[in-house]
Short mmCIF file of all heavy atoms in Angstrom, two decimals:
data_model
loop_
_atom_site.label_atom_id
_atom_site.label_comp_id
_atom_site.label_asym_id
_atom_site.label_seq_id
_atom_site.Cartn_x
_atom_site.Cartn_y
_atom_site.Cartn_z
N MET A 216 1.90 -22.08 9.08
CA MET A 216 1.13 -20.93 9.53
C MET A 216 1.99 -19.72 9.73
O MET A 216 1.67 -18.64 9.31
CB MET A 216 0.42 -21.35 10.88
CG MET A 216 -0.63 -20.30 11.34
SD MET A 216 -2.04 -20.28 10.21
CE MET A 216 -2.98 -18.96 10.96
N GLY A 217 3.18 -19.95 10.33
CA GLY A 217 4.10 -18.84 10.53
C GLY A 217 4.62 -18.31 9.23
O GLY A 217 4.75 -17.05 9.09
N GLU A 218 4.89 -19.16 8.26
CA GLU A 218 5.35 -18.71 6.96
C GLU A 218 4.26 -17.90 6.26
O GLU A 218 4.55 -16.88 5.60
CB GLU A 218 5.76 -19.92 6.10
CG GLU A 218 6.34 -19.52 4.75
CD GLU A 218 6.81 -20.71 4.00
OE1 GLU A 218 6.92 -21.83 4.59
OE2 GLU A 218 7.05 -20.57 2.77
N HIS A 219 3.02 -18.39 6.39
CA HIS A 219 1.89 -17.61 5.75
C HIS A 219 1.76 -16.23 6.39
O HIS A 219 1.54 -15.26 5.65
CB HIS A 219 0.59 -18.42 5.98
CG HIS A 219 -0.63 -17.71 5.51
ND1 HIS A 219 -0.89 -17.45 4.16
CD2 HIS A 219 -1.62 -17.07 6.24
CE1 HIS A 219 -2.04 -16.75 4.12
NE2 HIS A 219 -2.50 -16.56 5.33
N ALA A 220 1.91 -16.13 7.72
CA ALA A 220 1.79 -14.86 8.37
C ALA A 220 2.87 -13.94 7.91
O ALA A 220 2.69 -12.71 7.69
CB ALA A 220 1.85 -15.04 9.87
N MET A 221 4.12 -14.48 7.74
CA MET A 221 5.22 -13.67 7.30
C MET A 221 4.97 -13.08 5.88
O MET A 221 5.20 -11.93 5.61
CB MET A 221 6.53 -14.47 7.30
CG MET A 221 7.54 -13.97 8.31
SD MET A 221 9.16 -14.68 8.06
CE MET A 221 8.79 -16.42 8.12
N LEU A 222 4.52 -13.96 5.00
CA LEU A 222 4.22 -13.51 3.64
C LEU A 222 3.10 -12.48 3.64
O LEU A 222 3.12 -11.52 2.85
CB LEU A 222 3.80 -14.71 2.82
CG LEU A 222 4.94 -15.73 2.46
CD1 LEU A 222 4.36 -16.93 1.74
CD2 LEU A 222 6.00 -15.03 1.58
N THR A 223 2.11 -12.65 4.49
CA THR A 223 1.00 -11.71 4.56
C THR A 223 1.46 -10.32 5.02
O THR A 223 1.09 -9.29 4.41
CB THR A 223 -0.13 -12.21 5.53
OG1 THR A 223 -0.54 -13.50 5.08
CG2 THR A 223 -1.27 -11.25 5.52
N ILE A 224 2.30 -10.30 6.05
CA ILE A 224 2.81 -9.04 6.58
C ILE A 224 3.70 -8.36 5.51
O ILE A 224 3.60 -7.15 5.31
CB ILE A 224 3.63 -9.28 7.84
CG1 ILE A 224 2.68 -9.73 8.97
CG2 ILE A 224 4.35 -8.02 8.30
CD1 ILE A 224 3.42 -10.18 10.23
N ALA A 225 4.52 -9.11 4.82
CA ALA A 225 5.34 -8.54 3.75
C ALA A 225 4.47 -7.99 2.64
O ALA A 225 4.76 -6.89 2.08
CB ALA A 225 6.29 -9.64 3.19
N ALA A 226 3.38 -8.69 2.31
CA ALA A 226 2.47 -8.21 1.25
C ALA A 226 1.76 -6.96 1.67
O ALA A 226 1.58 -6.02 0.87
CB ALA A 226 1.48 -9.31 0.91
N ILE A 227 1.38 -6.88 2.97
CA ILE A 227 0.71 -5.65 3.44
C ILE A 227 1.64 -4.46 3.35
O ILE A 227 1.25 -3.39 2.89
CB ILE A 227 0.25 -5.85 4.88
CG1 ILE A 227 -0.85 -6.87 4.98
CG2 ILE A 227 -0.17 -4.49 5.51
CD1 ILE A 227 -1.24 -7.25 6.42
N THR A 228 2.90 -4.67 3.72
CA THR A 228 3.88 -3.57 3.66
C THR A 228 4.08 -3.17 2.17
O THR A 228 4.18 -1.96 1.87
CB THR A 228 5.21 -4.03 4.21
OG1 THR A 228 5.01 -4.51 5.56
CG2 THR A 228 6.21 -2.89 4.30
N LEU A 229 4.18 -4.14 1.28
CA LEU A 229 4.38 -3.83 -0.13
C LEU A 229 3.19 -3.09 -0.71
O LEU A 229 3.32 -2.09 -1.40
CB LEU A 229 4.62 -5.13 -0.90
CG LEU A 229 4.92 -4.96 -2.43
CD1 LEU A 229 6.21 -4.18 -2.61
CD2 LEU A 229 5.00 -6.30 -3.08
N LEU A 230 1.98 -3.55 -0.38
CA LEU A 230 0.76 -2.87 -0.83
C LEU A 230 0.69 -1.45 -0.28
O LEU A 230 0.29 -0.49 -1.01
CB LEU A 230 -0.48 -3.64 -0.42
CG LEU A 230 -0.75 -4.98 -1.16
CD1 LEU A 230 -1.88 -5.74 -0.49
CD2 LEU A 230 -1.10 -4.67 -2.63
N GLY A 231 1.05 -1.31 0.98
CA GLY A 231 1.04 0.04 1.59
C GLY A 231 2.03 0.96 0.91
O GLY A 231 1.68 2.14 0.66
N GLY A 232 3.20 0.47 0.61
CA GLY A 232 4.17 1.28 -0.11
C GLY A 232 3.69 1.70 -1.48
O GLY A 232 3.88 2.84 -1.90
N ALA A 233 3.00 0.77 -2.15
CA ALA A 233 2.43 1.12 -3.46
C ALA A 233 1.36 2.15 -3.39
O ALA A 233 1.27 3.08 -4.19
CB ALA A 233 1.88 -0.18 -4.12
N CYS A 234 0.56 2.11 -2.31
CA CYS A 234 -0.48 3.10 -2.09
C CYS A 234 0.12 4.46 -1.83
O CYS A 234 -0.34 5.45 -2.33
CB CYS A 234 -1.34 2.70 -0.90
SG CYS A 234 -2.43 1.25 -1.20
N GLN A 235 1.19 4.51 -1.01
CA GLN A 235 1.84 5.78 -0.72
C GLN A 235 2.46 6.39 -1.99
O GLN A 235 2.36 7.56 -2.22
CB GLN A 235 2.94 5.54 0.30
CG GLN A 235 2.44 5.17 1.73
CD GLN A 235 1.84 6.37 2.47
OE1 GLN A 235 1.89 7.50 2.00
NE2 GLN A 235 1.33 6.08 3.66
N TRP A 236 3.05 5.52 -2.81
CA TRP A 236 3.62 5.99 -4.06
C TRP A 236 2.56 6.52 -5.00
O TRP A 236 2.72 7.61 -5.63
CB TRP A 236 4.41 4.88 -4.74
CG TRP A 236 4.99 5.24 -6.09
CD1 TRP A 236 6.17 5.89 -6.32
CD2 TRP A 236 4.38 5.05 -7.35
NE1 TRP A 236 6.35 6.07 -7.64
CE2 TRP A 236 5.26 5.59 -8.32
CE3 TRP A 236 3.19 4.48 -7.80
CZ2 TRP A 236 4.99 5.55 -9.68
CZ3 TRP A 236 2.91 4.43 -9.13
CH2 TRP A 236 3.80 4.97 -10.09
N LEU A 237 1.46 5.83 -5.13
CA LEU A 237 0.34 6.24 -5.99
C LEU A 237 -0.22 7.56 -5.51
O LEU A 237 -0.49 8.46 -6.32
CB LEU A 237 -0.73 5.17 -6.03
CG LEU A 237 -1.89 5.42 -7.03
CD1 LEU A 237 -1.36 5.51 -8.45
CD2 LEU A 237 -2.91 4.30 -6.89
N ALA A 238 -0.32 7.74 -4.23
CA ALA A 238 -0.84 8.99 -3.68
C ALA A 238 0.09 10.13 -3.96
O ALA A 238 -0.33 11.25 -4.26
CB ALA A 238 -1.08 8.85 -2.15
N TRP A 239 1.39 9.82 -3.89
CA TRP A 239 2.39 10.86 -4.19
C TRP A 239 2.34 11.29 -5.62
O TRP A 239 2.44 12.47 -6.01
CB TRP A 239 3.81 10.32 -3.84
CG TRP A 239 4.91 11.15 -4.39
CD1 TRP A 239 5.32 12.38 -3.95
CD2 TRP A 239 5.83 10.78 -5.42
NE1 TRP A 239 6.42 12.82 -4.67
CE2 TRP A 239 6.73 11.86 -5.58
CE3 TRP A 239 5.94 9.69 -6.26
CZ2 TRP A 239 7.74 11.84 -6.53
CZ3 TRP A 239 6.94 9.63 -7.18
CH2 TRP A 239 7.84 10.72 -7.34
N ARG A 240 2.15 10.33 -6.52
CA ARG A 240 2.12 10.62 -7.96
C ARG A 240 0.86 11.40 -8.34
O ARG A 240 0.95 12.32 -9.15
CB ARG A 240 2.17 9.33 -8.77
CG ARG A 240 3.46 8.57 -8.70
CD ARG A 240 4.63 9.33 -9.31
NE ARG A 240 4.44 9.60 -10.73
CZ ARG A 240 5.23 10.38 -11.45
NH1 ARG A 240 6.30 10.90 -10.89
NH2 ARG A 240 4.99 10.58 -12.74
N LEU A 241 -0.24 11.06 -7.72
CA LEU A 241 -1.50 11.71 -8.05
C LEU A 241 -1.81 12.91 -7.16
O LEU A 241 -2.83 13.59 -7.39
CB LEU A 241 -2.69 10.71 -7.93
CG LEU A 241 -2.60 9.47 -8.86
CD1 LEU A 241 -3.79 8.54 -8.67
CD2 LEU A 241 -2.52 9.91 -10.34
N ARG A 242 -0.97 13.15 -6.16
CA ARG A 242 -1.12 14.29 -5.25
C ARG A 242 -2.51 14.23 -4.57
O ARG A 242 -3.23 15.20 -4.47
CB ARG A 242 -0.99 15.62 -5.97
CG ARG A 242 0.39 15.78 -6.62
CD ARG A 242 0.58 17.18 -7.20
NE ARG A 242 1.83 17.27 -7.94
CZ ARG A 242 2.23 18.37 -8.52
NH1 ARG A 242 1.54 19.47 -8.43
NH2 ARG A 242 3.36 18.39 -9.18
N LEU A 243 -2.82 13.03 -4.07
CA LEU A 243 -4.07 12.85 -3.29
C LEU A 243 -3.66 12.23 -1.98
O LEU A 243 -2.59 11.63 -1.81
CB LEU A 243 -5.02 11.86 -4.06
CG LEU A 243 -5.64 12.43 -5.29
CD1 LEU A 243 -6.43 11.31 -6.02
CD2 LEU A 243 -6.61 13.62 -5.01
N PRO A 244 -4.54 12.37 -0.95
CA PRO A 244 -4.19 11.77 0.38
C PRO A 244 -4.02 10.29 0.25
O PRO A 244 -4.82 9.57 -0.32
CB PRO A 244 -5.45 12.15 1.23
CG PRO A 244 -6.02 13.36 0.57
CD PRO A 244 -5.77 13.16 -0.92
N ALA A 245 -2.95 9.76 0.90
CA ALA A 245 -2.66 8.34 0.85
C ALA A 245 -3.77 7.53 1.53
O ALA A 245 -3.96 6.34 1.15
CB ALA A 245 -1.33 8.07 1.49
N ILE A 246 -4.43 8.13 2.47
CA ILE A 246 -5.47 7.43 3.20
C ILE A 246 -6.53 6.88 2.26
O ILE A 246 -7.08 5.80 2.51
CB ILE A 246 -6.12 8.34 4.28
CG1 ILE A 246 -7.20 7.60 5.04
CG2 ILE A 246 -6.69 9.61 3.62
CD1 ILE A 246 -7.83 8.46 6.14
N LEU A 247 -6.82 7.55 1.19
CA LEU A 247 -7.84 7.09 0.22
C LEU A 247 -7.47 5.75 -0.36
O LEU A 247 -8.29 4.84 -0.38
CB LEU A 247 -7.98 8.21 -0.89
CG LEU A 247 -8.93 7.89 -2.02
CD1 LEU A 247 -10.36 7.69 -1.44
CD2 LEU A 247 -8.92 8.98 -3.05
N PHE A 248 -6.23 5.61 -0.82
CA PHE A 248 -5.78 4.38 -1.44
C PHE A 248 -5.54 3.26 -0.40
O PHE A 248 -5.79 2.10 -0.69
CB PHE A 248 -4.53 4.63 -2.23
CG PHE A 248 -4.68 5.70 -3.27
CD1 PHE A 248 -4.22 6.99 -3.05
CD2 PHE A 248 -5.28 5.43 -4.48
CE1 PHE A 248 -4.39 8.01 -3.98
CE2 PHE A 248 -5.45 6.40 -5.43
CZ PHE A 248 -5.01 7.69 -5.19
N LEU A 249 -5.15 3.68 0.78
CA LEU A 249 -4.94 2.66 1.85
C LEU A 249 -6.27 2.06 2.25
O LEU A 249 -6.39 0.83 2.49
CB LEU A 249 -4.23 3.29 3.05
CG LEU A 249 -2.77 3.71 2.81
CD1 LEU A 249 -2.29 4.54 3.99
CD2 LEU A 249 -1.90 2.52 2.60
N LEU A 250 -7.30 2.89 2.41
CA LEU A 250 -8.62 2.40 2.79
C LEU A 250 -9.23 1.51 1.70
O LEU A 250 -9.78 0.44 2.00
CB LEU A 250 -9.55 3.59 3.06
CG LEU A 250 -9.29 4.39 4.34
CD1 LEU A 250 -10.25 5.59 4.38
CD2 LEU A 250 -9.45 3.52 5.57
N ILE A 251 -9.07 1.93 0.48
CA ILE A 251 -9.61 1.10 -0.61
C ILE A 251 -8.94 -0.24 -0.66
O ILE A 251 -9.57 -1.29 -0.83
CB ILE A 251 -9.47 1.83 -1.98
CG1 ILE A 251 -10.34 3.10 -1.99
CG2 ILE A 251 -9.82 0.94 -3.13
CD1 ILE A 251 -10.15 3.95 -3.21
N THR A 252 -7.58 -0.21 -0.49
CA THR A 252 -6.82 -1.51 -0.53
C THR A 252 -7.27 -2.41 0.63
O THR A 252 -7.48 -3.62 0.42
CB THR A 252 -5.32 -1.20 -0.42
OG1 THR A 252 -4.91 -0.39 -1.52
CG2 THR A 252 -4.52 -2.46 -0.37
#
């Protein structure tokens, strides 16, 4: 259970970073991609 939680938190951080990068590339608010994700 602890290992699953760790992987989930790491995946959330990775997904969030990808959303921030995509927002930067498209010059759109990051909130849009974070909410959709």
Side-chain angles (χ1 to χ4, degrees):
M216 190 68 183
E218 183 177 347
H219 173 73
M221 245 192 306
L222 289 174
T223 303
I224 293 172
I227 293 172
T228 306
L229 183 62
L230 287 172
C234 290
Q235 293 284 356
W236 177 83
L237 185 60
W239 168 70
R240 293 294 300 174
L241 299 180
R242 300 187 187 183
L243 291 173
I246 180 178
L247 177 61
F248 303 100
L249 293 171
L250 289 175
I251 293 174
T252 300

